[in-house]
Amino acid sequence: MEAILKEYFGYDTFRFGQEEIINHVLEGKNALGILPTGSGKSLCYQIPGLMFEGTTLVISPLISLMQDQVDSLKRRGIKAECINSTMSKQELKKVMTSLEEGQLQFLYVAPERFNNEEFRISLKQASVPFIAFDEAHCISKWGHDFRPSYQSIIPDLKALLPDALILAVTATATEEVEENIQELLDINNEAVTKTSVKRENLKLMVNPTYQREQFILSYIKNHQDMSGIIYASTRAEVEKLSDYLHEYKIENVIYHGGLAKKERSLNQEKFVSDQVKIVVATNAFGMGIDKPDIRYIIHFNLTGDLESYYQEIGRAGRDGLDSDCILLSSQRDINLQQFFIDRATASDQYKDHMREKLDQMIQYNKTNKCLSSFIVKYFNQNEYVEECGRCSSCLSENRTEPMTSEARLILNLVKDLDGKLSKEHIIQVMRGEHADNIMSRGLNKEENFGVLDSYRTSEVNHLVEELVMRGYLHYANYRMHLVEKSFDVLNKKVKLYTVPYRKTYNERVDVSTDSSLNEVLYSKLIDTRKNLADRYKLDEDAIFTDQILKEFAKKMPQTKQDMMHIQGVGNYKLKHYCPYFLEDIQEHAGIK
């Protein structure tokens, strides 16, 4: 394995996560690899492919991405081809013959190719021991770039190639996407390799300026001779911004789906080959771009979700050197993204899901907490995070409010009950709430019970979140744990400051302890969700997550109007699922 890595790719050692993924495949397991953008995901299937007898089939979403991969393999003396819609009949026949005769080590295809009966016949005649799904988030209906064709070919593959091993690789998978991919591709938990999405060399910044064009112009002038991508949401915005830069003698090229294929290819080549340093583009640009020295990525508009944003900024700094990722936005961007969702040809349930994703993107844009920690926690709630110390939030001059004494009180509570308290428990104890779940556990007898009784729920939540996002507390599996950094605060080695939060803190809070979580009701709601999931053949979380059911059990909404105020309850769920839960709540409250 190491010999192949050296001989074909010129590397002496594997990057973190690669070897583990390859070993899962070599052990005969279907596997899933979730690695950050630029961390060498393609090697995870190329190396096993070189070790297996026969042809490795790679499912890939874009012609340009496939062609780049094939060209790269051919330069290394590896027999690789791709099939795409631009090929002539003669070219296609030649590749199919090579496939049937076992002359190919790798064949790249788009999922739509499976609609071709001749291809299916050739595939069945070929020796294909291994299948790789590149950009595997496209498989999941909960992914940011869901392609139904990616999912629809899975039964075909299992029928045509029942003995083939499967590897799925992606950089952008939330926990729900990860679970969905595992279910669809029969991947067990032990064959999942997931490394942190954190990129130490990316400096994340949110700039609230209203003068976005002027900011970009000034930034470029201060970073001359550096390569960068400027993303805009629409073709019109791309062309307008490009013209603006040209007016100030800033050379750039544009890239969007409205350009002729020849012009897109030419502009991409100019950027990759350093003939032009700047490309202004829609999200159509970037996938498969093999340019390691992109020093900055600026988003002129808010993206629709954090997965898309992370994938796009992941194209910066692939050489490991420091690079800037700057988000600009306006209120109009939010309206535009909401318009995109409303106009999408998708189910109401899926639209509600996309609205939730947009809401998270808006929170990233508004948060005063570490941006790096925010992204890491979005993709993996159980990962331990520390403040990066270099993002716009960490460097904010607004961190003037002392919070050391409050932090010690919170950490002392966790120290006494390490691993036994949820975030909600901590807030309730610190505020001195006589809720059922606090009283039944005897938490009202804790020394720190009620020491922050003058603080609002949102204010205590802010303090707890600050400690988590800055690495002084670890929140995993809905429980709080002390870490080594906790004792720097407890032993009075550090002083902590935060943004003013007791009067002006406006960031939306997902936690409410206005009423206690009634555990009897919560248990009933869990049962109702399971029955609905069985009836409609859905994942339980697709109906409502545990967190939303906890909100129901706390707030006890007794009308649909009440339920609409709880985050995660959209129109589809309000109509189809909420009546069942309302019935439980009303019965528990003695209304029925």
Side-chain angles (χ1 to χ4, degrees), residues 266-280:
L266 179 62
N267 288 351
Q268 178 173 315
E269 178 56 31
K270 284 181 178 179
F271 177 68
V272 172
S273 63
D274 273 339
Q275 296 175 54
V276 176
K277 292 292 185 181
I278 299 165
V279 59
V280 185

Side-chain angles (χ1 to χ4, degrees), residues 32 41 61 133-147 150 168-174 177-178 180-181 287 307 311:
L32 170 61
K41 293 182 293 298
F133 281 89
D134 205 357
E135 306 295 340
H137 56 272
C138 296
I139 293 173
S140 172
K141 64 181 178 180
W142 305 125
H144 70 284
D145 198 19
F146 173 52
R147 291 180 58 161
Y150 246 72
V169 292
T170 181
T172 50
T174 59
V177 171
E178 177 186 338
N180 198 200
I181 293 171
M287 190 175 285
E307 291 99 318
Q311 187 176 57

Side-chain angles (χ1 to χ4, degrees), residues 97-334:
T97 300
S98 297
L99 171 65
E100 293 171 12
E101 294 179 354
Q103 297 174 7
L104 297 179
Q105 291 169 287
F106 293 90
L107 177 64
Y108 286 73
V109 299
E112 290 79 10
R113 180 55 47 178
F114 283 81
N115 296 329
N116 184 292
E117 186 60 29
E118 289 182 20
F119 172 72
R120 292 159 63 96
I121 292 170
S122 293
L123 196 62
K124 196 160 188 176
Q125 293 174 352
S127 172
V128 181
F130 184 39
I131 303 165
F133 281 89
D134 205 357
E135 306 295 340
H137 56 272
C138 296
I139 293 173
S140 172
K141 64 181 178 180
W142 305 125
H144 70 284
D145 198 19
F146 173 52
R147 291 180 58 161
S149 58
Y150 246 72
Q151 192 176 109
S152 65
I153 67 168
I154 294 172
D156 290 338
L157 279 172
K158 290 179 178 178
L160 289 167
L161 305 168
D163 299 322
L165 290 170
I166 295 175
L167 171 64
V169 292
T170 181
T172 50
T174 59
E175 291 171 9
E176 61 183 349
V177 171
E178 177 186 338
E179 292 170 4
N180 198 200
I181 293 171
Q182 283 185 250
E183 181 183 3
L184 292 167
L185 296 181
D186 302 320
I187 299 170
N188 294 326
N189 288 336
E190 68 270 13
V192 175
T193 301
K194 186 174 185 177
T195 62
S196 176
V197 300
K198 187 173 184 178
R199 295 272 306 278
E200 301 281 357
N201 64 315
L202 298 187
K203 183 178 180 181
L204 306 178
M205 289 172 276
V206 170
N207 191 316
T209 179
Y210 290 103
Q211 299 177 317
R212 292 179 291 171
E213 292 89 349
Q214 292 92 323
F215 170 84
I216 290 173
L217 182 63
S218 175
Y219 182 91
I220 291 172
K221 287 182 176 179
N222 289 324
H223 295 79
Q224 293 185 28
D225 299 323
M226 291 185 179
S227 294
I229 304 173
I230 303 171
Y231 280 109
S233 291
T234 65
R235 299 172 184 179
E237 201 93 73
V238 165
E239 295 183 1
K240 180 182 176 183
L241 186 54
S242 175
D243 290 342
Y244 173 81
L245 294 177
H246 277 131
E247 286 177 17
Y248 288 90
K249 312 302 181 186
I250 305 292
E251 188 179 7
N252 68 90
V253 293
I254 65 173
Y255 192 104
H256 60 64
L259 300 179
K261 180 185 174 184
K262 185 176 180 180
E263 186 177 0
R264 288 201 309 271
S265 298
L266 179 62
N267 288 351
Q268 178 173 315
E269 178 56 31
K270 284 181 178 179
F271 177 68
V272 172
S273 63
D274 273 339
Q275 296 175 54
V276 176
K277 292 292 185 181
I278 299 165
V279 59
V280 185
T282 63
N283 60 7
F285 180 78
M287 190 175 285
I289 297 299
D290 187 17
K291 185 172 174 58
D293 61 342
I294 297 173
R295 291 278 73 87
Y296 61 87
I297 290 180
I298 301 174
H299 280 77
F300 189 74
N301 306 105
L302 195 77
T303 61
D305 53 72
L306 268 168
E307 291 99 318
S308 299
Y309 184 70
Y310 175 75
Q311 187 176 57
E312 287 159 20
I313 65 173
R315 290 159 193 153
R318 293 191 179 189
D319 55 7
L321 300 181
D322 287 352
S323 304
D324 291 341
C325 303
I326 305 167
L327 176 62
L328 311 173
S329 67
S330 70
Q331 179 58 42
R332 180 181 171 277
D333 297 338
I334 298 173

Side-chain angles (χ1 to χ4, degrees), residues 495-514:
K495 292 183 178 181
L496 301 181
Y497 294 86
T498 184
V499 297
Y501 65 98
R502 295 210 66 185
K503 293 181 180 178
T504 61
Y505 178 66
N506 292 318
E507 189 175 338
R508 195 203 68 231
V509 176
D510 293 332
V511 176
S512 171
T513 59
D514 292 340

